[in-house]
Amino acid sequence: MGIVINIPKAKAIAHDMRRVARAQEFAPLDIKATIPSEAAAAEVARQAIRDKYAAIQNDIDSAPGISELKLIVEGL
């Protein structure tokens, strides 16, 4: 009997890694969003990050196996 990987748990771990990567990208923009002259540009950049990570979330949710999850996580 080989190693059995629990796909739902692996997906949960991948989502945690996605959240960390997203937070790191948001951090510099959180400050800029509070500066009136930079707020509009920061919000545009924040929306691009939201869109990017929403697509990654969908990829994780639809990943059929561990090899696909590894590829997604390596791209973070």
Side-chain angles (χ1 to χ4, degrees), residues 28-44:
L29 297 172
D30 289 341
I31 295 168
K32 289 184 178 185
T34 63
I35 302 168
S37 63
E38 297 182 31
E43 188 52 39
V44 169

Side-chain angles (χ1 to χ4, degrees), residues 2 15 25-26 29 32 50 57 66 73:
H15 280 302
E25 283 193 47
F26 263 127
L29 297 172
K32 289 184 178 185
R50 285 185 200 102
Q57 179 175 345
I66 224 37
V73 169

Side-chain angles (χ1 to χ4, degrees), residues 1-5:
M1 182 173 171
I3 297 173
V4 177
I5 297 173

Side-chain angles (χ1 to χ4, degrees), residues 7-8 10-11 13 15 21 29-31 37 40 47 62 64-67 70 75-76:
I7 297 296
K11 287 183 179 185
I13 292 167
H15 280 302
L29 297 172
D30 289 341
I31 295 168
S37 63
Q47 187 58 50
S62 65
I66 224 37
S67 59
K70 283 182 180 180
L76 294 176

Side-chain angles (χ1 to χ4, degrees), residues 49-69:
I49 293 169
R50 285 185 200 102
D51 294 342
K52 171 184 168 184
Y53 283 96
I56 293 171
Q57 179 175 345
N58 290 335
D59 291 344
I60 291 170
D61 289 338
S62 65
I66 224 37
S67 59
E68 293 83 6
L69 282 174

